[in-house]
Amino acid sequence: MSEPKIPGLLTFQLTGKIAHFKKYYSNISSLTYEVPPRTVITGILASILEMPRDTYYETFSPQQSKIGVQLLSPVRKQVSCMNYVKKEGGPTQVRLELLLPREERLRFRIYCWHENAELFDSLFHRCKNHNLGYGVYLGQRAFRGYVEDAGMIPESDIQFLTDFSGKLDSLTFEENISGLSDTVGFDINSASMPNTMRKIDVGREQDSMVNTVFEMSGKGVPGRFKEAFRVRDKTISFYTPFVS
Amino acid sequence: MANLSRNSEILFLYDAKQCNPNGDMDNENKPRMDWEAGRNLVSDVRLKRYIRDYLMQVKELPIFVRKLVDAGLRAQDSLALFKLTHLDGKKEEDLTLDDLKKVKGLEEIGDNLFDLVDIRIFGATIPIQVEEGRGASSTFTGPVQFNWGYSLNTIHELQESKTITSHLQTGKSEHGAGIGKDYRVNYSFLAFSGGINANVAQDTRMTEEDVQLLDEAIIKSIPLNRTRSKIGQTPRLYLRVEMTDNQTVLNDLREFVHLETSVPEPELRSIKECTVDATELQAYLGKFDGKIQKIHYWKDGNLSIDGLDLESAKFQELSY
């Protein structure tokens, strides 16, 4: 069997001042993930392509598209109390946990591939030309996101690795880890995140989850990994396995 | 009226002197602060409230998200109120709660929903009744979105608090009285950025006239809010960069302006001690010159700003 190939990878920097990636299980308070879940990124990509709400879940399934994220700058959290109006009337107070940068801005490096070549090409050109469709948001509409430094990495610059030992620059799914190396000096974190969404009668809900592992200070995860991709000077993986 | 066809990017700067721009209820209503970075924060909701209040009270336009007079009123009663007063011509003071409850809501209003100006501008989540018990809502995303605002100057301590007493309306009690603290910033030079997405405007039917209303509301609404904690805020600069198309989106314009001060930042107390350096902003906008239709601006007479070529043909002053 020939080595798995990716024809190309779209990459861009996703930035903003504040974010809120809501943890799916937080109800009374709104807590935030430290990195955007896969569902947030597919929502961003669908918005750029001007796909209507709730129509794109199959199009961006883990089988048809691969997405990876790298945390480029350290993050921190802070809770704010918001006054909202209840549907039933009267005020309600919601604790909203903000994701803030330790440096000037939040910065995530996004990697993305889609099997539909036409869609993938359109996505690249839109990002490149600042044509962002319905807009980009970091989880909530009060937290506008920005796309910078968009580029296409050609197949010749991408190398598939199995049983890779070393530092993984991006987030990865838990099952990809054969073993972690000495993590002293690294800030390893993990979270169970929504992986896919589905439409239900009155809205939408998460359809599947993925356990992710990532490093919080931008140093990468040290260990041994079942699969990885060497992409120029970075080694990355996706939210979901490339080889199943 | 034709729907909007061009995107815009907004930069709005104002300052706050010895007041509380946005309190956090969990924290004795102290001004919202990001203490680690030393930034005063103001939520987008606070800014939208100013705009809605202006549109309703000054321009006398119907809006959906109102300060509800009675805590028992539901969100859909706001729609009922709109139907009875604006579509049926009844007087608000003549209405009772029972009148409001009789209106079925969205189905009786139909497309007149978009007569509500804040739905056209900000969108809304509107409750709808379904046959089964579970509630549902219809969501319209608004074309206009603001980031949270933050201060361009760093702040390291608040003004020393005075202790105040006040009659507070808490729940059913009509005799509530409380003792509270009155925390304020000494000086905060706040920056908001936002965008108008013409693609999204197709759904909510936002028009060019609505954009002009928005310009006016942003610039004029804050000084009209003269409550105890809000007095002392003054708009300084408003920029709306109108693109030639409904596709191009610019970056956060706040990244390209910097505050220069004649005293150390923690000691800032006045607009006279500030200059806005917009050299990088001028350069950034220059890169998009072919895609910019017009830069609508308003500037306070007391603001000192460097690097922005306000006399060029691209800039057009807003005046009221």
Side-chain angles (χ1 to χ4, degrees):
Chain A
M1 170 189 168
S2 67
E3 188 172 276
K5 294 283 187 186
I6 301 187
L9 269 181
L10 167 65
T11 178
F12 57 86
Q13 200 173 148
L14 178 65
T15 78
K17 209 70 182 180
I18 306 179
H20 174 74
F21 305 121
K22 186 177 176 176
K23 290 185 173 179
Y24 69 97
Y25 52 83
S26 59
N27 288 310
I28 301 299
S29 298
S30 293
L31 306 178
T32 184
Y33 292 111
E34 290 86 354
V35 296
R38 189 179 181 280
T39 46
V40 167
I41 298 178
T42 57
I44 286 170
L45 300 175
S47 182
I48 291 171
L49 291 166
E50 294 176 35
M51 292 175 165
R53 169 191 291 265
D54 293 334
T55 64
Y56 56 87
Y57 302 139
E58 299 266 328
T59 304
F60 283 98
S61 72
Q63 293 74 40
Q64 294 184 63
S65 67
K66 299 300 175 185
I67 296 171
V69 65
Q70 180 189 358
L71 181 66
L72 292 175
S73 68
V75 297
R76 61 196 164 89
K77 296 174 175 179
Q78 177 174 303
V79 175
S80 254
C81 185
M82 305 300 293
N83 248 340
Y84 291 145
V85 177
K86 281 191 292 201
K87 211 179 274 188
E88 311 83 51
T92 185
Q93 294 184 345
V94 172
R95 275 75 195 174
L96 179 72
E97 190 176 51
L98 307 175
L99 188 69
L100 295 159
R102 288 198 185 281
E103 296 158 8
E104 210 44 43
R105 289 185 297 168
L106 297 168
R107 292 187 300 129
F108 306 98
R109 171 62 58 176
I110 306 298
Y111 299 90
C112 152
W113 167 79
H114 200 286
E115 72 173 18
N116 181 325
E118 188 180 337
L119 178 150
F120 190 45
D121 188 66
S122 173
L123 197 52
F124 166 61
H125 282 97
R126 282 173 174 254
C127 290
K128 190 76 178 172
N129 294 312
H130 308 275
N131 175 2
L132 301 184
Y134 292 141
V136 170
Y137 299 97
L138 301 180
Q140 260 195 22
R141 296 197 171 268
F143 308 123
R144 299 179 78 218
Y146 303 91
V147 168
E148 295 176 8
D149 195 21
M152 182 70 78
I153 302 175
E155 182 177 356
S156 54
D157 286 354
I158 305 166
Q159 183 193 349
F160 180 71
L161 308 169
T162 56
D163 202 27
F164 165 72
S165 283
K167 219 157 43 83
L168 203 61
D169 294 297
S170 75
L171 158 152
T172 190
F173 54 103
E174 197 174 56
E175 297 75 35
N176 193 34
I177 303 175
S178 302
L180 288 178
S181 301
D182 187 347
T183 55
V184 172
F186 294 83
D187 189 358
I188 305 295
N189 200 349
S190 72
S192 176
M193 292 182 172
N195 187 33
T196 57
M197 307 286 285
R198 68 173 162 222
K199 183 151 180 26
I200 56 179
D201 284 348
V202 289
R204 55 188 181 178
E205 63 180 12
Q206 65 268 3
D207 186 35
S208 68
M209 307 294 295
V210 60
N211 289 322
T212 61
V213 178
F214 48 95
E215 206 275 331
M216 295 280 292
S217 54
K219 293 175 187 166
V221 183
R224 225 171 74 250
F225 304 94
K226 297 187 172 81
E227 68 172 46
F229 286 90
R230 188 73 189 169
V231 177
R232 293 191 177 136
D233 60 341
K234 300 289 177 194
T235 311
I236 69 161
S237 78
F238 302 120
Y239 284 91
T240 52
F242 193 76
V243 178
S244 45
Chain B
M1 275 187 282
N3 287 349
L4 203 55
S5 60
R6 295 194 190 102
N7 286 351
S8 284
E9 290 294 325
I10 291 169
L11 176 68
F12 177 49
L13 309 180
Y14 68 100
D15 66 0
K17 183 172 177 170
Q18 289 164 25
C19 66
N20 185 350
N22 193 196
D24 187 329
M25 288 77 74
D26 269 352
N27 205 5
E28 295 181 291
N29 211 46
K30 286 176 178 173
R32 285 189 206 280
M33 290 294 302
D34 174 6
W35 285 115
E36 187 168 318
R39 304 286 173 187
N40 183 204
L41 298 177
V42 177
S43 76
D44 66 313
V45 173
R46 173 68 263 178
L47 180 59
K48 286 177 174 177
R49 181 81 263 150
Y50 287 130
I51 294 165
R52 284 189 171 99
D53 286 350
Y54 183 84
L55 295 173
M56 183 170 74
Q57 292 164 16
V58 177
K59 307 303 281 191
E60 294 179 343
L61 296 169
I63 67 169
F64 173 61
V65 179
R66 306 165 55 116
K67 279 176 180 157
L68 301 169
V69 178
D70 189 316
L73 285 184
R74 303 161 302 169
Q76 64 209 65
D77 293 330
S78 188
L79 292 178
L81 194 57
F82 167 70
K83 178 188 188 299
L84 294 171
T85 56
H86 285 84
L87 303 184
D88 295 353
K90 296 197 165 67
K91 287 206 168 81
E92 187 167 335
E93 50 266 30
D94 293 341
L95 297 172
T96 68
L97 275 186
D98 283 342
D99 293 327
L100 297 183
K101 298 266 188 289
K102 281 171 189 153
V103 178
K104 291 293 195 300
L106 206 43
E107 45 193 284
E108 289 193 47
I109 290 175
D111 273 1
N112 292 304
L113 179 72
F114 299 107
D115 289 357
L116 294 158
V117 65
D118 63 331
I119 290 184
R120 294 202 299 274
I121 294 177
F122 297 132
T125 300
I126 299 170
I128 53 180
Q129 219 57 44
V130 289
E131 295 309 317
E132 294 80 41
R134 179 189 248 175
S137 52
S138 189
T139 299
F140 299 90
T141 301
V144 177
Q145 299 294 341
F146 294 107
N147 279 314
W148 278 42
Y150 61 84
S151 61
L152 295 182
N153 60 308
T154 53
I155 291 168
H156 299 291
E157 63 185 16
L158 300 177
Q159 188 179 65
E160 186 176 339
S161 166
K162 308 286 191 289
T163 300
I164 59 171
T165 59
S166 171
H167 283 90
L168 305 170
Q169 199 72 25
T170 51
K172 307 275 194 214
S173 168
E174 291 175 16
H175 306 287
I179 300 175
K181 298 289 189 179
D182 178 13
Y183 290 100
R184 299 170 177 214
V185 294
N186 284 300
Y187 188 80
S188 178
F189 195 95
L190 289 150
F192 268 94
S193 70
I196 307 180
N197 189 306
N199 270 318
V200 177
Q202 306 313 302
D203 293 334
T204 64
R205 310 182 197 191
M206 187 177 181
T207 64
E208 289 289 338
E209 288 77 7
D210 291 329
V211 174
Q212 286 155 35
L213 274 176
L214 181 70
D215 289 343
E216 183 183 336
I218 292 172
I219 294 164
K220 296 178 74 175
S221 60
I222 287 179
L224 294 179
N225 199 280
R226 294 288 179 177
T227 62
R228 176 186 176 88
S229 64
K230 297 296 177 281
I231 191 169
Q233 299 180 108
T234 309
R236 299 297 179 187
L237 181 73
Y238 176 76
L239 235 60
R240 179 168 62 80
V241 183
E242 187 184 358
M243 313 309 297
T244 57
D245 59 32
N246 67 348
Q247 297 183 330
T248 309
V249 176
L250 300 183
N251 277 357
D252 190 336
L253 300 183
R254 298 176 296 185
E255 300 288 329
F256 306 104
V257 295
H258 307 281
L259 196 66
E260 296 185 342
T261 66
S262 58
V263 302
E265 280 187 24
E267 295 167 30
L268 262 189
R269 295 293 181 266
S270 162
I271 188 64
K272 292 178 175 58
E273 295 161 351
C274 306
T275 300
V276 172
D277 179 3
T279 306
E280 280 179 39
L281 179 60
Q282 180 76 43
Y284 177 71
L285 296 176
K287 290 197 311 189
F288 288 89
D289 195 61
K291 286 181 178 279
I292 294 174
Q293 179 80 17
K294 189 69 70 178
I295 302 170
H296 309 266
Y297 80 95
W298 173 90
K299 176 183 164 296
D300 176 56
N302 288 316
L303 178 71
S304 170
I305 184 165
D306 287 343
L308 213 54
D309 185 9
L310 297 176
E311 301 302 322
S312 89
K314 218 73 169 186
F315 284 86
Q316 177 173 298
E317 186 168 16
L318 298 162
S319 53
Y320 299 102

